[in-house]
Amino acid sequence: MRNNPATIASAVFTYGFVGLMAFLSVFPFIWMVLGATNSSIDIIKGRLMPGEALATNIANFFTLVNVPLVFWNSAKVTIFATVLTLAVSSLAGYGFEIFRSRRRENLYRAMLLTLMIPFAALMIPLFIMMGKMGLINTHIAVVLPTIGSAFIVFYFRQSTKAFPSELRDAAKVDGLKEWQIFLYIYVPVMRSTYAAAFIIVFMTAWNNYLWPLIVLQSNETKTITLVISSLASAYYPDYGVVMVGTFLATLPTLTVFFFMQRQFVQGMLGSVK
Amino acid sequence: MTELQLSDVRKSYGGFEVIKGVDLDIKSGEFVVFVGPSGCGKSTLLRMIAGLEEITSGDLTIDDVLMNDVDPSKRGIAMVFQSYALYPHMTVRENMGFALRFAGVPKAEIEKRVGEAANILELGPLLDRKPKQLSGGQRQRVAIGRAIVRHPKIFLFDEPLSNLDAELRVHMRIEIARLHKQLAATIIYVTHDQVEAMTLADKIVVMRGGVVEQVGSPLDLYDDPANQFVAGFIGSPKMNFLKGVIEAGDGGECYARLPEYGGVKIPVGLKGAAPGTPVTIGIRPEHFKEEGSVSLDLTIDMLEHLGGETFAYARHGNGELVVIETKNGRGLKSGDRITARFDPACALVFDEGGKRLR
């Protein structure tokens, strides 16, 4: 590489910009970790150094919150939402791409249009529907509206474009029915796509706040996001406790991403090469 | 004995007909090659035989059983694809045994058949590898092995060597020929490479625009093409075509005069050809010799020395390019003026529509 001034300036600008963006992304996480070790007053004062209140904050969090129950609630909702969303959306994406027709294409476009409707506009009709089905204050009400995800269907359809049609032909000659081709060939071949979609859906479901806030009304059914929110909006919020809760709530998504990041990146680039 | 018959088989997409009434008989043990330019319908016809494309009309029978609506896996065929189509998440062994597993064949039998196919194709050491750990040639051998283990009545090959480099293509071509001999199998093979067609086939089916132009043995097609398209497609470098017009000689004999080549006259011996009929004279590059009663004065434009022979690309004053094959071309150079001669008995005559005149 030549060391002329323009190249150096370009490198400084690039690294400076990337560094700034990285810092802005990581700072809230650092603040959360440091905050978990400080008292509420220190946090309000803006202290950004490790403190000595970690044990107290953890003890208070476990006193105020039924931790196993809320984590179980969140896990239940997230696992069902993730598995069902992946199953339904991948089938739909595969179907839209493989069995093309003008009518299905119109249906697909109509489905994509739903991405433009803000959730706020859907809340009340959804709430009324769930009410009529007697599902208010149940985890089914949280999961049901999330499984038909237009974005994930779109993602699977786009990825299916890279699925070699000759594999499908070979499977047909080998005697597989369409559902067997999907199950035994498509799913394993597209596993990186599934991994990327898994991370996206898992994080969305775990962090889901607005809809559970509306349909989950009793403390027995509330998820971790709702509990942290209620701690933060108390009359005298203990921010140290809130930071501990936030940190613990972040751990599952961090773990999932840590173990699946390679597949996530591969999935974003395309499963089939 | 496995016989395959196509009777007036047609295929349309919407209102557009891509296969326009194909009649063909393929006998047991024959190596049949469908050849033709891109878009001629050869792969579509193969896929119709495999059951991967619906037959719009006409009959496909295998051993006298109508197969039009029979599931691909129940037609007694196995197919090898251009891109190999190996399941990337399975090992070579799993790939080869997959169809048998789904057909409910006992595990011991699957192992036996996979072992046999691996022996034939020398795949033994590769059985536990995944396709991505194999070279192109090895993948193609696995794809062939996957077809062999099914003990099909008919093997279908869809341009299986197109993705391989030139050296490997020659090697695999020999492997496939050996396999045909060893298994005595009926093979239908699609290619756009006429060298593959000439070297492998017992019978070549030349297609153009969804129509079978001619069916015959490689040398029959080479020596006795039914029309100008087949004459031009079979043979490399391709046949030279010279524009001419029919004239009657003083003694009633028939000539083709080439006005663009200084009025050279070629006795063609056609019966019933009316004077003034425009024709095309076809002459293969190797038919130009030092001796011959017809001669063309040409200037060499470019030379291709292949060692054993030389291809001279020469032009007449009219600008038309003529390809000449010669064994004595080492002393030639671009710009040389030559007189190329040929025996008129070697010339083929085609009418304006490309049909062979005899």
Side-chain angles (χ1 to χ4, degrees):
Chain A
M1 199 171 116
R2 284 174 299 161
N3 285 331
N4 64 46
T7 312
I8 294 167
S10 162
V12 168
F13 177 77
T14 306
Y15 282 98
F17 182 74
V18 170
L20 180 68
M21 288 298 127
F23 177 75
L24 289 176
S25 303
V26 173
F27 179 72
F29 188 78
I30 296 169
W31 192 15
M32 176 187 75
V33 173
L34 292 175
T37 65
N38 283 304
S39 68
S40 195
I41 292 167
D42 284 340
I43 293 168
I44 292 166
K45 281 181 181 168
R47 185 182 151 91
L48 285 173
M49 296 299 287
E52 290 165 356
L54 179 63
T56 317
N57 289 338
I58 291 174
N60 287 345
F61 181 71
F62 275 80
T63 311
L64 290 167
V65 176
N66 185 348
V67 177
L69 180 69
V70 291
F71 267 85
W72 169 239
N73 287 341
S74 278
K76 205 161 57 173
V77 166
T78 304
I79 289 166
F80 275 105
T82 308
V83 171
L84 290 173
T85 305
L86 290 190
V88 170
S89 304
S90 62
L91 267 170
Y94 178 82
F96 276 125
E97 182 56 28
I98 302 289
F99 307 105
R100 287 182 174 205
S101 74
R102 193 178 291 177
R103 216 180 293 171
R104 286 191 198 103
E105 212 55 32
N106 289 335
L107 187 67
Y108 179 68
R109 288 192 191 119
M111 187 202 71
L112 285 187
L113 279 178
T114 64
L115 283 171
M116 300 179 76
I117 305 172
F119 184 71
L122 298 172
M123 278 187 322
I124 296 170
L126 274 175
F127 187 81
I128 295 169
M129 278 168 66
M130 294 301 149
K132 282 187 176 165
M133 288 193 277
L135 295 175
I136 298 297
N137 205 28
T138 67
H139 290 138
I140 298 173
V142 180
V143 172
L144 264 185
T146 65
I147 42 185
S149 164
F151 172 71
I152 301 296
V153 173
F154 167 78
Y155 175 62
F156 270 103
R157 184 185 177 169
Q158 292 308 109
S159 301
T160 305
K161 287 182 194 296
F163 181 69
S165 63
E166 284 194 341
L167 281 186
R168 209 169 140 255
D169 290 339
K172 278 189 190 170
V173 173
D174 280 348
L176 273 72
K177 305 279 176 233
E178 199 64 54
W179 69 267
Q180 291 171 319
I181 295 173
F182 180 82
L183 203 61
Y184 294 106
I185 309 296
Y186 179 82
V187 173
V189 168
M190 305 298 283
R191 64 179 182 280
S192 300
T193 300
Y194 276 91
F198 178 87
I199 290 177
I200 295 167
V201 179
F202 184 93
M203 284 172 69
T204 311
W206 183 268
N207 295 330
N208 197 1
Y209 173 70
L210 187 56
W211 179 238
L213 180 70
I214 294 163
V215 289
L216 298 180
Q217 290 158 357
S218 70
N219 284 336
E220 288 70 35
T221 55
K222 282 188 177 171
T223 55
I224 184 75
T225 46
L226 301 185
V227 171
I228 291 170
S229 164
S230 65
L231 288 176
S233 57
Y235 197 70
Y236 291 114
D238 186 333
Y239 289 113
V241 172
V242 172
M243 293 297 190
V244 167
T246 313
F247 177 72
L248 291 176
T250 314
L251 285 181
T253 47
L254 271 181
T255 312
V256 165
F257 190 79
F258 180 77
F259 283 109
M260 298 178 81
Q261 57 178 321
R262 200 167 58 89
Q263 287 94 326
F264 178 76
V265 174
Q266 210 177 331
M268 284 296 169
L269 295 172
S271 282
V272 186
K273 285 193 195 151
Chain B
M1 298 288 272
T2 305
E3 289 199 7
L4 183 144
Q5 279 190 318
L6 298 170
S7 309
D8 194 25
V9 165
R10 290 169 188 275
K11 173 74 185 173
S12 302
Y13 294 106
F16 185 67
E17 198 169 50
V18 291
I19 300 291
K20 300 167 181 169
V22 170
D23 293 290
L24 191 64
D25 284 352
I26 295 172
K27 296 198 168 29
S28 180
E30 266 187 330
F31 197 128
V32 178
V33 176
F34 294 172
V35 71
S38 294
C40 71
K42 54 191 188 297
S43 283
T44 306
L45 189 60
L46 191 81
R47 290 172 60 80
M48 288 160 79
I49 294 170
L52 297 171
E53 296 281 353
E54 275 183 30
I55 295 171
T56 308
S57 70
D59 291 338
L60 160 68
T61 60
I62 296 176
D63 285 342
D64 296 325
V65 179
L66 187 66
M67 288 287 169
N68 288 35
D69 300 317
V70 175
D71 197 69
S73 63
K74 297 192 168 59
R75 293 185 180 205
I77 54 106
M79 190 156 171
V80 178
F81 296 87
Q82 183 179 351
S83 66
Y84 326 124
L86 299 178
Y87 307 125
H89 56 295
M90 295 182 199
T91 62
V92 168
R93 187 191 305 278
E94 288 164 344
N95 261 289
M96 287 167 73
F98 190 64
L100 302 180
R101 188 155 70 84
F102 264 85
V105 175
K107 213 171 170 184
E109 175 67 15
I110 296 175
E111 281 296 314
K112 188 176 146 239
R113 287 205 213 172
V114 169
E116 283 169 1
N119 277 342
I120 292 171
L121 296 161
E122 295 165 15
L123 287 170
L126 309 176
L127 282 175
D128 294 315
R129 291 200 197 166
K130 293 267 180 76
K132 68 178 174 190
Q133 297 168 299
L134 305 176
S135 68
Q138 288 169 333
R139 287 182 201 186
Q140 195 51 274
R141 267 158 49 209
V142 176
I144 295 170
R146 188 168 67 174
I148 291 175
V149 295
R150 298 183 58 195
H151 294 175
K153 292 176 187 169
I154 301 168
F155 286 87
L156 307 177
F157 286 81
D158 189 5
E159 305 205 28
L161 310 185
S162 301
N163 287 0
L164 305 179
D165 62 46
E167 193 183 338
L168 205 51
R169 204 179 303 168
V170 173
H171 176 72
M172 283 305 294
R173 208 165 67 201
I174 295 164
E175 288 278 306
I176 291 171
R178 182 178 63 82
L179 202 68
H180 176 234
K181 216 170 192 178
Q182 195 172 346
L183 301 175
T186 308
I187 294 179
I188 305 176
Y189 186 105
V190 164
T191 181
H192 62 265
D193 181 343
Q194 53 95 13
V195 176
E196 265 174 44
M198 292 292 283
T199 50
L200 287 170
D202 295 322
K203 186 196 270 181
I204 295 180
V205 178
V206 183
M207 294 185 71
R208 178 173 61 159
V211 174
V212 172
E213 293 283 345
Q214 192 175 357
V215 180
S217 73
L219 291 180
D220 278 350
L221 296 191
Y222 190 81
D223 295 335
D224 193 15
N227 55 46
Q228 194 177 333
F229 173 76
V230 176
F233 196 81
I234 302 292
S236 178
K238 65 184 283 187
M239 183 180 270
N240 296 292
F241 295 113
L242 317 172
K243 294 282 178 204
V245 63
I246 295 293
E247 282 185 3
D250 297 337
E253 67 275 29
C254 188
Y255 288 102
R257 196 170 65 84
L258 309 182
E260 293 177 9
Y261 291 85
V264 171
K265 285 184 173 181
I266 305 168
V268 287
L270 296 176
K271 288 169 197 152
T277 308
V279 291
T280 301
I281 300 298
I283 182 87
R284 293 210 180 271
E286 72 270 24
H287 288 149
F288 286 98
K289 307 279 182 197
E290 286 172 8
E291 299 298 320
S293 59
V294 182
S295 62
L296 301 175
D297 292 324
L298 305 165
T299 306
I300 294 176
D301 199 25
M302 202 190 79
L303 290 158
E304 281 181 353
H305 295 292
L306 301 184
E309 69 267 322
T310 299
F311 295 122
Y313 294 81
R315 287 186 194 278
H316 186 260
N318 63 10
E320 291 290 317
L321 199 66
V322 176
V323 186
I324 297 161
E325 182 184 335
T326 174
K327 300 277 181 200
N328 310 314
R330 294 194 177 210
L332 295 173
K333 57 184 188 301
S334 295
D336 280 358
R337 295 177 67 83
I338 57 166
T339 300
R341 298 174 191 280
F342 63 90
D343 179 353
C346 297
L348 308 179
V349 188
F350 305 96
D351 69 11
E352 262 192 315
K355 197 179 152 212
R356 174 93 176 270
L357 298 174
R358 293 167 196 273

